[in-house]
C-alpha cells in the first residue's frame, strides 16, 4: 500500500494484495500452489492520519469480501504514520491480527541506506552535485553533447542523469564518468578554449577544476565499490520470483564485503593513484586550512585533530561512509532477517544440514506463532519430510520448490 498524487494533486491510495492460491483435485486434495498478486485500484484519500488510512483499508477489505483474519503480512514504506510501533497503520492492524507481520519495503529501504550515507558526509553530497553538473552541462546542449560524442565514439557507456529516487541506479552514472573521464576532460578543454560564449567557457573551466582533484578520483573508487555492492541486491530485489532467504543472503553478503573493504584503505588508495596517474592528476590530498580554537587552561581536549591530510580523508570520509552503509545494511533489514530465521527449517538448504532436534525446535516456533494455521503435528511432519524426501530436497533450493514437492 502507498499513496501518490494524481495530475490534479489529489492523493490516491493504491492497494496491491498478494495471496496464495491452492490448486486442488476433485477430491479436494492439494496438488500445487500459485502465488498471485492483484492490483485493486486507487482510492482518493482525505484523512491522512494512521486511523484514517486504517479505516480506508478496512473498508476496502470489506468491499472485496476479504477477511482480515487471513492476513499474514503487510508491507509499506517507513513513514511514521505507517510504521509507527504504537499508533502506526501497521500497529493498528496487528492489534486485530497479530500474525500480520510488518516489513518495510526492501527496495525502498535499500535506497535509504545510500541516502543516509550521502547525508552524513558533505564531501559525498558535493561529489554527486559535481556528477550532476557534468551531465547537465553536456546534456542541456545539443552542440556540447555532439562534441562529447566525438571523443566517446559510438560506445554505449556514456553520461547518464543521476536518478534522485534510486540511489542504487546511480552506479551506472558514476561508472560512466569513471570510464569516460579523459573524454570528458578533453571535451571540457576544447570548450574552454574554442567557445565563443563567455559563460560557457567559464562553466567548462569551473567543472574541469572541480573534478581534477585526487579526492574526486578517490571518491570515484570508493563510491563505485559501495554502489556496486548495493547495486547487486537492488537488482535482485526487483526480480519476480525472489524469496526472502535469497534477498537476505544477498544483503548480508554486501555488508560482509564492505566490512572487508573497510580494512583495505591502502589498496583503495593504490587503485585511485593508478587512475589519477592515467588522468594526469597529482596523487596528493588537498591540505585544508586548520581551524584554530582557543582553549582555556582548565578545558579538556575533547577531539583529536589529525595533521596528515591523508589520515583526515581516511577517518572523516573513507571510514565514515563505509560505517554508515554497513550499519544501515545491518540495522534496516533486521525485520527481514527475523522472518528468514523463523522459517529457516523449511528452506531446503537449511533443512538438509539441520539436526533432528534443531528441526523440531524451529518447527515448534513456527507452529506456536501460526497456531490457527498449523497443527501441533507439524514438527514431526518436517522430520519425516526430510527423512522420506532426502534425495529430492537435496536437488532444490527454494521454499516454493519444497512446497510443490
Amino acid at each position: 500500500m502507498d499513496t501518490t498524487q494524481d495530475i490534479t494533486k489529489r492523493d490516491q491510495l493504491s492497494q496491491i494484495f498478494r495471496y496464495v492460491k491452492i490448486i486442488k483435485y476433485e477430491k479436494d486434495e492439494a496438488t500445487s500452489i500459485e502465488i498471485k498478486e492483484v492490483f485493486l485500484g486507487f482510492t482518493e484519500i482525505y484523512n491522512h492520519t494512521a486511523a484514517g488510512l486504517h479505516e480506508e483499508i478496512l473498508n476496502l477489505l470489506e468491499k472485496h469480501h476479504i477477511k482480515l483474519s487471513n492476513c499474514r503480512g503487510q508491507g509499506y514504506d517507513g513513514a511514521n504514520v505507517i510504521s509507527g510501533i504504537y499508533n502506526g497503520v501497521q500497529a493498528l492492524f496487528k492489534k486485530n491480527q497479530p500474525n500480520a507481520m510488518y516489513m518495510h519495503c526492501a527496495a525502498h529501504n535499500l535506497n535509504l541506506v545510500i541516502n543516509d550515507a550521502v547525508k552524513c558526509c558533505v564531501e559525498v553530497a558535493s561529489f554527486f552535485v559535481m556528477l550532476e553538473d557534468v551531465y547537465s552541462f553536456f546534456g542541456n546542449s545539443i552542440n556540447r553533447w555532439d562534441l562529447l560524442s566525438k571523443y566517446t565514439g559510438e560506445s554505449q557507456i556514456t553520461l547518464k542523469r543521476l536518478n534522485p529516487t534510486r540511489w542504487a541506479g546511480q552506479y551506472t552514472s558514476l561508472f560512466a564518468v569513471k570510464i569516460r573521464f579523459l573524454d570528458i576532460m578533453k571535451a571540457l578543454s576544447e570548450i574552454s578554449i574554442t567557445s565563443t560564449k563567455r559563460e560557457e567557457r567559464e562553466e567548462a573551466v569551473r567543472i574541469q577544476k572541480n573534478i581534477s582533484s585526487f579526492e574526486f578520483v578517490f571518491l570515484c573508487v570508493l563510491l563505485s565499490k559501495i554502489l556496486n555492492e548495493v547495486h547487486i541486491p537492488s537488482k535482485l530485489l526487483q526480480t519476480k520470483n525472489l524469496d526472502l532467504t535469497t534477498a537476505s543472503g544477498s544483503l548480508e553478503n554486501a555488508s560482509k564485503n564492505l566490512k572487508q573493504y573497510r580494512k583495505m584503505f591502502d589498496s583503495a588508495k593504490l587503485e585511485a593513484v593508478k587512475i589519477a596517474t592515467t588522468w594526469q592528476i597529482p596523487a596528493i590530498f588537498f591540505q585544508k586550512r586548520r581551524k584554530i580554537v582557543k582553549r582555556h587552561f582548565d578545558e579538556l581536549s575533547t577531539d583529536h585533530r589529525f595533521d596528515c591530510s591523508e589520515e583526515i580523508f581516511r577517518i572523516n570520509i573513507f571510514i565514515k561512509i563505509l560505517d554508515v552503509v554497513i550499519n544501515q545494511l545491518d540495522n534496516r533489514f533486521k525485520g527481514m532477517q527475523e522472518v528468514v530465521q523463523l522459517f529457516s527449517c523449511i528452506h531446503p538448504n537449511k533443512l538438509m544440514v539441520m539436526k533432528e532436534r534443531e528441526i523440531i525446535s524451529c518447527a515448534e516456533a513456527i507452529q506456536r506463532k501460526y497456531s490457527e494455521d498449523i497443527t501441533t503435528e507439524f514438527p514431526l511432519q518436517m522430520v519425516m519430510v526430510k527423512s522420506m524426501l532426502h534425495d529430492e530436497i537435496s536437488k532444490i533450493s527454494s521454499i516454493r520448490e519444497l512446497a510443490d514437492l
Side-chain angles (χ1 to χ4, degrees), residues 78-141:
N80 289 333
V81 69
I82 295 293
S83 62
I85 60 175
Y86 298 112
N87 296 310
V89 172
Q90 65 92 13
L92 295 177
F93 274 111
K94 289 189 75 172
K95 288 179 181 178
N96 297 324
Q97 178 47 274
N99 286 336
M101 299 179 68
Y102 162 67
M103 189 177 296
H104 192 158
C105 170
H108 180 262
N109 218 1
L110 185 60
N111 195 44
L112 294 177
V113 170
I114 304 299
N115 189 51
D116 288 345
V118 172
K119 287 181 178 180
C120 83
C121 189
V122 175
E123 288 81 1
V124 177
S126 299
F127 174 85
F128 282 109
V129 171
M130 293 179 199
L131 287 187
E132 183 63 27
D133 284 346
V134 172
Y135 176 85
S136 298
F137 181 71
F138 289 102
N140 292 339
S141 169

Side-chain angles (χ1 to χ4, degrees), residues 280-310:
Q280 298 181 343
I281 295 175
I284 301 172
F285 288 96
F286 178 69
Q287 184 69 50
K288 294 183 180 180
R289 182 179 178 182
R290 288 188 59 189
K291 183 179 180 180
I292 300 176
V293 179
K294 184 178 179 180
R295 299 185 185 279
H296 297 285
F297 72 94
D298 58 343
E299 285 184 313
L300 297 176
S301 180
T302 56
D303 60 339
H304 176 75
R305 297 182 181 275
F306 295 98
D307 295 324
C308 177
S309 55
E310 178 178 326

Side-chain angles (χ1 to χ4, degrees), residues 22-63:
I22 301 176
I23 310 300
K24 297 182 178 181
Y25 276 135
E26 293 180 359
K27 295 181 180 180
D28 205 34
E29 293 181 0
T31 58
S32 63
I33 64 170
E34 291 183 3
I35 299 175
K36 298 284 189 176
E37 197 169 84
V38 59
F39 169 63
L40 295 182
F42 291 105
T43 303
E44 188 172 350
I45 294 297
Y46 300 97
N47 186 347
H48 293 81
T49 64
L53 293 172
H54 176 252
E55 184 67 25
E56 194 65 47
I57 299 172
L58 287 178
N59 293 337
L60 179 76
L61 293 174
E62 184 179 350
K63 176 183 176 182

Side-chain angles (χ1 to χ4, degrees), residues 370-404:
Y370 298 99
S371 58
E372 297 179 6
D373 307 311
I374 304 173
T375 69
T376 53
E377 298 174 359
F378 179 65
L380 291 179
Q381 288 174 345
M382 287 304 301
V383 173
M384 293 173 61
V385 164
K386 179 182 178 180
S387 176
M388 296 173 61
L389 303 174
H390 185 277
D391 294 338
E392 290 86 346
I393 294 174
S394 65
K395 299 175 184 178
I396 60 179
S397 58
S398 72
I399 294 176
R400 170 64 188 274
E401 290 174 308
L402 180 64
D404 289 337

Side-chain angles (χ1 to χ4, degrees), residues 68-232:
L68 181 60
S69 59
N70 291 332
C71 181
R72 294 296 177 270
Q74 45 181 329
Y76 323 100
D77 61 20
N80 289 333
V81 69
I82 295 293
S83 62
I85 60 175
Y86 298 112
N87 296 310
V89 172
Q90 65 92 13
L92 295 177
F93 274 111
K94 289 189 75 172
K95 288 179 181 178
N96 297 324
Q97 178 47 274
N99 286 336
M101 299 179 68
Y102 162 67
M103 189 177 296
H104 192 158
C105 170
H108 180 262
N109 218 1
L110 185 60
N111 195 44
L112 294 177
V113 170
I114 304 299
N115 189 51
D116 288 345
V118 172
K119 287 181 178 180
C120 83
C121 189
V122 175
E123 288 81 1
V124 177
S126 299
F127 174 85
F128 282 109
V129 171
M130 293 179 199
L131 287 187
E132 183 63 27
D133 284 346
V134 172
Y135 176 85
S136 298
F137 181 71
F138 289 102
N140 292 339
S141 169
I142 296 176
N143 293 332
R144 292 195 291 265
W145 190 265
D146 289 342
L147 176 62
L148 177 63
S149 300
K150 183 180 73 173
Y151 291 105
T152 60
E154 298 298 324
S155 173
Q156 296 296 319
I157 302 176
T158 186
L159 294 183
K160 301 181 186 298
R161 180 178 291 278
L162 296 176
N163 190 326
T165 59
R166 290 288 179 187
W167 282 99
Q170 300 207 15
Y171 171 69
T172 55
S173 306
L174 176 56
F175 182 74
V177 171
K178 184 179 176 181
I179 296 298
R180 291 297 174 190
F181 185 84
L182 283 179
D183 298 327
I184 294 170
M185 293 295 285
K186 290 175 182 177
L188 289 171
S189 296
E190 183 171 335
I191 292 172
S192 64
I193 295 172
T194 62
S195 176
T196 58
K197 301 176 182 177
R198 177 185 171 186
E199 291 183 358
E200 190 174 63
R201 292 197 308 270
E202 291 176 348
E203 184 69 5
V205 171
R206 182 187 69 82
I207 294 175
Q208 194 173 18
K209 180 180 178 181
N210 286 339
I211 66 177
S212 299
S213 67
F214 186 60
E215 283 84 356
F216 183 88
V217 178
F218 206 131
L219 283 173
C220 269
V221 172
L222 172 59
L223 294 173
S224 291
K225 174 65 176 178
I226 293 174
L227 290 176
N228 182 49
E229 293 295 340
V230 173
H231 187 67
I232 296 171

